[in-house]
Amino acid sequence: MIIDLRSDTVTKPTPGMMQAIMEAQTGDDVYKEDPTVNTLEKRCTELFGMEAALFFPTGTMANQAAIKLHTQPGEQLICDKWAHVYNYEGGGVSFNSGVSCKLVDGHRGMITAAQVVDSINPPDFYHSPLTSLVCIENTTNKGGGACYDMTELKKIKAVCDEHGLGIHLDGARLMNALVAKNEDPKQYGQLFDTISICFSKGLGTPLGTVLVGKKDIMKNAIRVRKVLGGGMRQIGYMAAAGLYALDHHVERLAEDHKKAKELAAVLAAQTYVDRVEPTETNIVIFYLSDRISEEKFMADLQQLSIKISSMGQGKLRMVTHLDYTQEMHQRAMNVLAAY
Ligand SMILES: *Cc1c(COP(=O)(O)O)cnc(C)c1O
């Protein structure tokens, strides 16, 4: 039994999801003739109370398309120093959009409205890049699955409105935040111009991210997706997995959160662990004491059939998911307690 806690992307479709995939009606989605993709896009539009949606192969491509839709080359976006769009999208912000990032020294990947204000370049000061977009991540990945407070998000939105900035939400794990904080997706639809929602993370599909947004911003989205190589044909098979996930895999995220909290509690009690970040959703981030190296710890766990990941700067990460069973959970906790 391999216990893979490296990421919530390692899951395979459940039998029920597999059946939904097999039974999907499909068509050529580049011609917008795939009924299942159209249904998924419509469903996401309604879920968030937004005007338009488009299905992408990956979260990276959806974020990159959103950034392209919001900016012109030479402009600057504001994001946290740990943001996925800055750290884990291959430099796509500059490659695809010719945009630079003003990095904010936030808390656990989350930034405040006051920090956004401080990061805006004065628009008439033509020596600096023009600030045009704020990118928020919820939950934060490198920040250990931390969730924003709705009040702070509203303040950030007010700052964006006041300064004429676009606001994009990297919601790769937004469903985890909605479940953890018992929030309504429509609250997010009201605050953001565009939101990306991944189906291949906690929701457990093989691929797919939906970008939802306002009509005027989204009108060019299909062209940008084409340029990025993301036009797909009979992709309704994967949209069917997404629809299945919306019906069956959202509420159960609470189980992943519970297991993550239990793993965090076990780790916090071990002398080889220096500190564990607060665990709100399905990501556990912890640091080892000086006595043991990350490499040795990870290799030892691997020997015991447990895989975890390193995020650099001493951060180790475990992510709970659909394929992490109660039996695996019990064994992982025993191994960590006995190590
Ligand atoms: C996983 C992830 C993405 C998208 O990644 P893909 O692998 O391209 O689907 C975007 N943002 C965050 C915060 C993520 O965790």
Side-chain angles (χ1 to χ4, degrees):
M1 177 164 79
I2 305 279
I3 302 176
D4 196 341
L5 290 165
R6 289 172 302 167
S7 174
D8 47 6
T9 54
V10 300
T11 58
K12 308 230 170 96
T14 60
M17 182 179 284
M18 210 60 197
Q19 194 181 341
I21 292 170
M22 302 285 281
E23 288 169 1
Q25 301 287 314
T26 66
D28 189 335
D29 182 49
V30 171
Y31 294 112
K32 294 308 295 169
E33 285 173 5
D34 189 307
T36 311
V37 173
N38 293 341
T39 301
L40 178 65
E41 289 172 349
K42 184 155 180 286
R43 176 126 178 228
C44 290
T45 304
E46 287 163 2
L47 187 61
F48 287 88
M50 297 199 88
E51 294 164 343
L54 195 66
F55 192 50
F56 283 80
T58 67
T60 297
M61 195 187 285
N63 283 336
Q64 291 299 318
I67 291 166
K68 182 71 196 159
L69 292 168
H70 281 285
T71 60
Q72 293 298 320
E75 293 180 352
Q76 192 163 68
L77 65 78
I78 296 170
C79 65
D80 184 84
K81 64 184 183 301
W82 287 349
H84 195 279
V85 295
Y86 175 70
N87 288 285
Y88 299 121
E89 299 190 3
V93 172
S94 53
F95 191 94
N96 298 314
S97 298
V99 163
S100 59
C101 298
K102 175 83 125 261
L103 300 182
V104 175
D105 188 15
H107 176 62
R108 303 182 65 217
M110 299 180 291
I111 63 180
T112 65
Q115 288 176 313
V116 172
V117 171
D118 285 346
S119 306
I120 300 169
N121 295 327
D124 50 357
F125 188 68
Y126 54 79
H127 307 275
S128 303
L130 184 69
T131 308
S132 50
L133 175 64
V134 174
C135 289
I136 299 293
E137 193 172 308
N138 198 27
T139 71
T140 64
N141 180 341
K142 219 175 168 181
C147 309
Y148 269 89
D149 266 339
M150 189 48 73
T151 45
E152 197 61 39
L153 291 176
K154 286 182 181 161
K155 285 187 204 162
I156 294 173
K157 165 66 173 161
V159 169
C160 290
D161 283 349
E162 190 189 332
H163 295 268
L165 308 179
I167 180 164
H168 169 67
L169 175 60
D170 176 353
R173 295 190 181 82
L174 183 57
M175 292 299 179
N176 294 84
L178 293 174
V179 168
K181 305 208 94 170
N182 199 18
E183 289 167 338
D184 179 353
K186 291 195 176 60
Q187 290 178 280
Y188 283 86
Q190 279 164 16
L191 291 181
F192 290 90
D193 297 327
T194 46
I195 305 174
S196 58
I197 309 115
C198 284
F199 286 86
S200 54
K201 299 266 167 92
L203 296 183
T205 79
L207 66 82
T209 289
V210 170
L211 183 69
V212 292
K214 291 185 175 157
K215 218 188 312 181
D216 55 336
I217 296 166
M218 291 292 288
K219 68 178 187 296
N220 270 328
I222 199 159
R223 177 179 290 277
V224 172
R225 187 184 70 176
K226 183 73 198 182
V227 172
L228 296 175
M232 301 176 287
R233 304 294 176 175
Q234 286 71 30
I235 199 62
Y237 294 111
M238 292 300 107
L243 286 165
Y244 181 89
L246 286 177
D247 288 334
H248 298 95
H249 293 170
V250 176
E251 272 145 52
R252 66 151 304 286
L253 291 170
E255 283 174 42
D256 297 346
H257 300 172
K258 179 166 176 280
K259 288 188 183 122
K261 286 194 177 93
E262 288 167 357
L263 284 171
V266 170
L267 285 167
Q270 309 309 315
T271 53
Y272 60 85
V273 173
D274 180 46
R275 126 184 122 75
V276 186
E277 293 281 2
T279 303
E280 291 174 72
T281 54
N282 68 330
I283 303 178
V284 185
I285 292 204
F286 62 103
Y287 301 81
L288 297 175
S289 77
D290 294 339
R291 289 192 291 126
I292 173 164
S293 78
E294 282 175 52
E295 293 71 24
K296 174 158 169 42
F297 182 68
M298 288 176 67
D300 288 346
L301 286 190
Q302 176 99 38
Q303 280 292 314
L304 297 161
S305 302
I306 298 177
K307 296 183 181 184
I308 68 168
S309 57
S310 161
M311 304 200 88
Q313 294 136 5
K315 272 181 205 284
L316 291 174
R317 188 183 81 165
M318 291 180 180
V319 189
T320 57
H321 52 74
L322 192 58
D323 286 0
Y324 176 61
T325 63
Q326 189 57 38
E327 188 191 358
M328 292 176 183
H329 184 47
Q330 203 50 58
R331 193 171 116 72
M333 289 195 295
N334 292 344
V335 167
L336 293 171
Y339 184 78

